[in-house]
């Protein structure tokens, strides 16, 4: 989508290609495939290993293993492996780095393999879900997860603070950002955390898109060529977030680590795949609701993850066959327990409910199905790793009690504007 000269990430991906191919040349009769993933969650690994066991029954000489890498440094660790000649056979790829991987030449085209797989039914895969993972009509990574962001709620903490629960606010037509922050503030005043934007941690600013999209804000224009951090919607959204942090104490401030799933916060914004972190002993009454309404109206934001096959792997043809097996109709139903599918037939509450025992049909319909249908995918751009660092550094000036937000956002645009315009 955004055509640019090669980024540092693209160079790192492509740089290790020849070395990795040479190292892979002497593969033994037994094929051991390795896939890097970001999650070390027990439930996720059990699901993936079960799918790998099923593949081994069909391919006895093939073993598939999964290598979790830290979420915070995942893409850097992956590109380092590739550049160092230790490329995995398959990789979980974040939506933010999709353009870099697709444009680098490091991924094996998947379209023909999927189309040739009996019973795969590639025709039911949503074209909207594959846009970021394709080039010139060819699919280079399968979007196995298209997951809306939503708000998990600890109703016990909200009620204890004497505030209205999000469900009550929704029923009253008052589920808006000001009311959500008021609820979070009430809980925070009692000594617990208010609203946690999970994975943000004042570093991964792209996760704030789950908030600022409510103002119609974006980091850059739709064509990716112009910085829009200094535009009115973003300045107003950042002002609202800043007040929620420093004036109302409704959002944990810099350096404060609060875990909703440990029962320490009123609400958290994250994707439904994190439902696996909910306490199994049901120590608190929880709910899942859509994102609050912003000044620009109702909205949804979606995160994606793709599975790509690295050309530098040991056996790219067998790795592509595994991706086809992992994402076939039967296994897509299993994956949908945590990772909403790109398959149209699985995007309804009835089907999702069969593998999502934790979530009610109403939650699945209002949060997952509706969110996928209407949501925008998290921001991404070619050379995203570089842009991410530049913006993160510029936002440090915003995360101060007496920040000059308009000046800080103008400075960000001065930094990233030339890169966007290339």
């Amino acid at each position: 989508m955004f055509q640019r000269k090669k980024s540092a990430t693209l160079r790192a991906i492509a740089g290790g290609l020849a070395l990795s191919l040479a190292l892979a040349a002497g593969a033994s009769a037994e094929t051991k495939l390795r896939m890097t993933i970001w999650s070390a969650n027990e439930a996720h690994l059990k699901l993936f290993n079960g799918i790998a066991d099923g593949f081994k029954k069909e391919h006895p000489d093939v073993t598939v293993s999964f290598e979790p890498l830290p979420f915070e440094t995942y893409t850097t660790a992956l590109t380092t492996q590739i550049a160092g000649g230790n490329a995995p056979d398959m990789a979980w790829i974040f939506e933010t780095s999709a353009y870099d991987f697709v444009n680098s030449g490091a991924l094996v085209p998947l379209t023909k393999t999927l189309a040739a797989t009996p019973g795969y039914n590639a025709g039911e895969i949503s074209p909207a879900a594959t846009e970021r993972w394709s080039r010139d009509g060819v699919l280079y990574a399968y979007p196995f997860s298209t997951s809306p962001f939503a708000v998990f709620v600890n109703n016990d903490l909200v009620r204890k603070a004497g505030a209205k629960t999000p469900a009550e606010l929704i029923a009253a037509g008052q589920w808006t950002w000001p009311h959500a922050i008021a609820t979070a503030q009430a809980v925070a005043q009692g000594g617990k955390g208010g609203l946690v934007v999970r994975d943000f941690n004042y570093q991964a600013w792209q996760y704030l898109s789950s908030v600022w999209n409510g103002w119609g804000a974006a980091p850059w224009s739709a064509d990716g060529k112009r910085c829009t951090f200094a535009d009115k919607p973003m300045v107003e959204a950042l002002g609202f977030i800043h007040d929620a942090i420093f004036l109302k104490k409704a959002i944990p401030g810099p350096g404060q680590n609060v875990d909703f799933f440990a029962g320490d916060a009123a609400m958290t914004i994250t994707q439904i795949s994190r439902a696996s972190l909910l306490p199994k002993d049901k120590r608190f009454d929880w709910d899942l609701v859509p994102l609050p309404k912003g000044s620009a109206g109702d909205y949804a934001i979606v995160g994606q993850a793709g599975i790509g096959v690295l050309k530098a792997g040991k056996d790219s043809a067998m790795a592509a066959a595994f991706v086809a097996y992992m994402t076939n109709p039967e296994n897509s139903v299993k994956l949908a327990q945590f990772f909403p599918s790109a398959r149209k037939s699985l995007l309804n509450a009835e089907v999702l409910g069969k593998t999502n025992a934790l979530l009610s049909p109403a939650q699945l319909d209002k949060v997952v199905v509706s969110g996928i249908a209407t949501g925008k995918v998290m921001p991404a751009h070619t050379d995203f790793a570089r842009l991410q660092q530049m913006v993160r550094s510029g936002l440090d000036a915003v995360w101060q009690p007496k920040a000059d937000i308009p000046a800080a956002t103008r400075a960000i645009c001065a930094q990233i504007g030339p890169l966007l315009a290339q």
Side-chain angles (χ1 to χ4, degrees), residues 151-154 158 166 175 180 183-184 193-196 260 265-269:
V151 182
F152 283 91
V153 184
N154 185 324
V158 173
W175 184 230
T183 293
L195 172 71
V196 178
F260 168 87
M267 294 176 279
T268 188
I269 298 175

Side-chain angles (χ1 to χ4, degrees), residues 303-327:
Q304 279 194 316
I307 302 176
V309 174
L310 278 298
K311 289 181 179 177
K314 300 179 184 68
D315 187 334
S316 60
M318 186 58 71
F322 175 73
V323 171
Y325 178 82
M326 186 176 188
T327 61

Side-chain angles (χ1 to χ4, degrees), residues 214-265:
W215 278 254
W220 38 72
S221 56
D223 63 5
K225 296 180 179 180
R226 185 178 71 84
C227 174
T228 54
F229 264 99
D231 288 9
K232 184 178 179 180
M234 182 64 81
V235 171
E236 290 183 349
L238 288 176
F240 179 87
I241 295 168
H242 184 275
D243 286 350
I245 296 166
F246 294 101
L247 294 182
K248 298 177 180 177
K249 312 295 184 182
I251 296 177
Q256 294 179 291
N257 295 310
V258 181
D259 187 359
F260 168 87
F261 294 101
D264 295 331

Side-chain angles (χ1 to χ4, degrees), residues 55 59 63 77 209 237 255:
F55 186 73
H59 304 272
T63 300
S209 60

Side-chain angles (χ1 to χ4, degrees), residues 50-127:
I51 292 174
D53 290 343
F55 186 73
K56 190 171 183 62
K57 290 179 181 178
E58 297 183 8
H59 304 272
D61 295 331
V62 180
T63 300
V64 180
S65 63
F66 300 93
E67 179 188 358
L69 300 176
F71 175 83
E72 295 79 8
T73 57
Y74 178 84
T75 300
T76 300
L78 174 58
T79 54
T80 298
Q81 285 191 10
I82 297 170
N86 184 36
D89 302 281
M90 302 149 293
W92 184 327
I93 301 171
F94 292 159
E95 69 283 278
T96 50
S97 55
Y99 294 125
D100 282 336
F101 275 89
V102 169
N103 293 328
S104 70
L107 297 178
V108 174
L110 295 176
T111 301
K112 290 183 179 179
T113 298
L114 300 185
T117 300
Y120 191 82
N121 194 12
E124 74 156 343
I125 299 171
S126 167

Side-chain angles (χ1 to χ4, degrees), residues 353-409:
K354 293 178 181 177
T355 54
N356 286 270
L358 287 173
L359 305 180
S360 70
Q363 289 170 333
L364 289 167
D365 187 54
K366 293 178 181 178
V367 176
V368 182
V369 177
S370 177
I372 291 173
T374 64
K376 294 182 178 180
V377 182
M378 279 179 63
H381 203 287
T382 301
D383 210 356
F384 184 81
R386 186 179 174 192
L387 287 166
Q388 205 280 341
Q389 289 299 319
M390 294 170 73
V391 173
R392 184 204 58 73
S393 179
L395 284 173
D396 284 345
V398 173
W399 312 133
Q400 307 293 330
K402 296 182 179 180
D404 184 340
I405 295 175
T409 55

